[in-house]
Amino acid sequence: MGYVRLLRRRPVLALWGAQGLSVFGDRLYAMAIMWLAWEKSGAAAMGLVAVAESVPYIVMGTVGRRLMDRFASLRALAAVDASRIVLVALLPVAWNVFGLPAMLALAVAVGAAGALFDPNLGALVPDLVRPSEVQAIYGLTDLTGRIARISGPGAAGVLLAVMPQGALFWLDAATFAVSAGVLARLGRGAHKSAPTGKRPAAPETLGTRLLLRSHPATGAAIGVHGVGIFAQAVSFALPALLAARFHAGAGTYGLILATTGAGALAGNLAAGHVRLPSRLPVVYCAVWAASGLLLAFNGLASNLPVLLALAAASGFLAPFCGITLQTHLAAFPAGPRRRLMSLDLTIIRTAGTASMLVVPAVAAGSPTAGFLTGGLITVAVAGIGAAASWWWTRDTASMRVPQPEPELSRD
């Protein structure tokens, strides 16, 4: 199995383990900060905290290219994680002493650190493996996030029963300490093995706009991602749909979420190993179109077994979206790859923040219409994106960027 083979390499195992722990800590942090905001200042504070963390991603992706480039190494990312140790550990203290303004300021700082860290690490991950293994390594990172999303909230509930709320922040800070140590160690090894010759300057300095003009199918895929994230926010109105149509409550909602999670784990094992076609932007848009169709069918479901089947199918498709796009972007040289990953993160953060402000509330008033509208919009935009990408990638040879085979070590 590809995952097992990759994990036999010490650098991959160390990075995967450290990032898995860090992502798990992030789930504890997310629950803790939202609960703290609710407890101290109510629902409005929860929304402000969510926006405060998202704004730095949007700003950094829009105007922070030069700053982003300064952190394009494992050693620099270790320093970012070191800063997050302090920021996260200070959050509960800052709230108790200075209140909501201090909490929001630290949330912005944590978001800014994440905006520097996430696209840079995503762009560096392919350098740990051979080009033929990029899909599998992104499958591993996708699996990490999905396991954390499933286990994090339950673990947080158990931990809160035996320790104070502030301890969740300290645990998250400890996971950043582990991640910083691993990145610093890997960064020292990468620095020693780096070639001394000059790297080609042209691909590295290529601007984002020129990249998108040169690779319009990639731009279409990233655009579809943003629209899909915006439209999929209607899924937060699922409790309203369950109550209105099936007179079901929290237990049924939890069962559907668990079914979605199980489907996503199964989908990850397939998406990380199945051979993907050469026209990845076309595949990516087509998967989003299928996801939109399933979302629309939620509004038409006649009984709970149908909803559960739709949940399992939607979960199964989700890893194909993430792994397909990441694998496609990894084919670009390091600089353009980083810019495109940053652009994608900026777009989905913008779409996610905007959608959460309006879509769930509107869909809750008429959940059936909300699911149909969100799903059909996704189908239409993704279908157009797939058709356009197919046209732009008729010459598939022009899509491939030659990459040298790196020399890998098991140490």
Side-chain angles (χ1 to χ4, degrees), residues 280-298:
L280 290 182
V282 180
V283 175
Y284 179 77
C285 294
V287 172
W288 263 113
S291 295
L293 197 59
L294 292 173
L295 185 68
F297 282 154
N298 276 279

Side-chain angles (χ1 to χ4, degrees), residues 242 246 248 252 255-256 259 297-298 301-313:
L242 292 173
F246 305 106
T252 303
L255 179 60
I256 290 176
T259 303
F297 282 154
N298 276 279
S302 58
N303 53 59
L304 289 177
V306 172
L307 270 181
L308 289 173
L310 291 171

Side-chain angles (χ1 to χ4, degrees), residues 163-175:
M163 62 177 59
Q165 187 182 79
L168 294 184
F169 293 98
W170 302 330
L171 283 174
D172 188 30
T175 66

Side-chain angles (χ1 to χ4, degrees), residues 56-73 76-77 80 112-121 123 335 338-343 345-346:
Y57 283 87
I58 299 169
V59 174
M60 195 70 66
T62 304
V63 297
R65 168 181 162 179
R66 291 185 179 180
L67 181 60
M68 186 85 64
D69 289 347
R70 293 182 181 179
F71 291 87
S73 70
L77 294 184
V80 174
L116 288 172
F117 187 93
D118 294 345
N120 271 309
L121 182 64
R338 183 170 60 254
R339 305 204 203 306
L340 291 171
M341 287 186 174
S342 177
L343 174 66
L345 193 58
T346 301

Side-chain angles (χ1 to χ4, degrees), residues 2-397:
Y3 292 171
V4 175
R5 185 170 59 252
L6 285 176
L7 291 174
R8 287 174 182 162
R9 297 181 193 147
R10 289 181 185 176
V12 175
L13 177 60
L15 183 62
W16 181 74
Q19 291 309 305
L21 189 62
S22 182
V23 172
F24 178 77
D26 288 345
R27 305 311 297 177
L28 301 182
Y29 165 83
M31 182 172 180
I33 194 171
M34 286 303 177
W35 184 262
L36 188 61
W38 167 264
E39 189 178 64
K40 299 290 186 179
S41 300
M46 295 173 67
L48 288 174
V49 168
V51 172
E53 287 192 348
S54 294
V55 166
Y57 283 87
I58 299 169
V59 174
M60 195 70 66
T62 304
V63 297
R65 168 181 162 179
R66 291 185 179 180
L67 181 60
M68 186 85 64
D69 289 347
R70 293 182 181 179
F71 291 87
S73 70
L74 293 175
R75 292 170 115 182
L77 294 184
V80 174
D81 262 350
S83 72
R84 292 200 279 190
I85 298 171
V86 178
L87 293 172
V88 171
L90 284 177
L91 270 166
V93 179
W95 186 286
N96 289 330
V97 176
F98 301 106
L100 181 60
M103 170 68 95
L104 293 177
L106 284 174
V108 169
V110 171
L116 288 172
F117 187 93
D118 294 345
N120 271 309
L121 182 64
L124 289 169
V125 162
D127 296 334
L128 296 173
V129 297
R130 300 181 181 91
S132 60
E133 297 169 327
V134 166
Q135 180 183 343
I137 194 72
Y138 280 129
L140 266 178
T141 59
D142 178 86
L143 181 62
T144 301
R146 297 190 186 282
I147 292 174
R149 279 193 287 273
I150 293 171
S151 60
V158 172
L159 291 171
L160 283 173
V162 297
M163 62 177 59
Q165 187 182 79
L168 294 184
F169 293 98
W170 302 330
L171 283 174
D172 188 30
T175 66
F176 284 130
V178 173
S179 176
V182 170
L183 289 170
R185 175 68 181 86
L186 292 176
R188 284 195 296 271
H191 181 73
K192 290 177 182 178
S193 61
T196 57
K198 291 185 178 180
R199 301 182 63 166
E204 296 292 321
T205 58
L206 204 59
T208 303
R209 290 184 180 179
L210 186 55
L211 272 172
L212 295 178
R213 288 185 191 136
S214 304
H215 301 272
T218 301
I222 292 174
V224 166
H225 195 184
V227 173
I229 292 296
F230 185 91
Q232 293 276 325
V234 74
S235 61
F236 287 99
L238 182 58
L241 180 69
L242 292 173
R245 177 168 291 185
F246 305 106
H247 307 288
T252 303
Y253 181 55
L255 179 60
I256 290 176
L257 293 181
T259 303
T260 304
L265 291 177
N268 173 275
L269 297 178
H273 297 91
V274 68
R275 182 167 182 171
L276 296 173
S278 59
R279 299 186 184 187
L280 290 182
V282 180
V283 175
Y284 179 77
C285 294
V287 172
W288 263 113
S291 295
L293 197 59
L294 292 173
L295 185 68
F297 282 154
N298 276 279
L300 302 175
S302 58
N303 53 59
L304 289 177
V306 172
L307 270 181
L308 289 173
L310 291 171
S314 297
F316 187 85
L317 286 179
F320 281 90
C321 289
I323 295 171
T324 300
L325 183 58
Q326 297 271 52
T327 302
H328 171 63
L329 297 181
F332 289 85
R337 182 195 313 156
R338 183 170 60 254
R339 305 204 203 306
L340 291 171
M341 287 186 174
S342 177
L343 174 66
D344 179 59
L345 193 58
T346 301
I347 286 178
I348 63 174
R349 280 282 182 165
T350 304
T353 302
S355 66
M356 286 302 297
L357 295 176
V358 293
V359 174
V362 172
S366 179
T368 297
F371 275 90
L372 283 171
T373 302
L376 292 177
I377 287 174
T378 305
V379 170
V381 173
I384 293 171
S389 297
W390 178 86
W391 178 260
W392 284 320
T393 58
R394 287 169 296 165
D395 179 13
T396 55

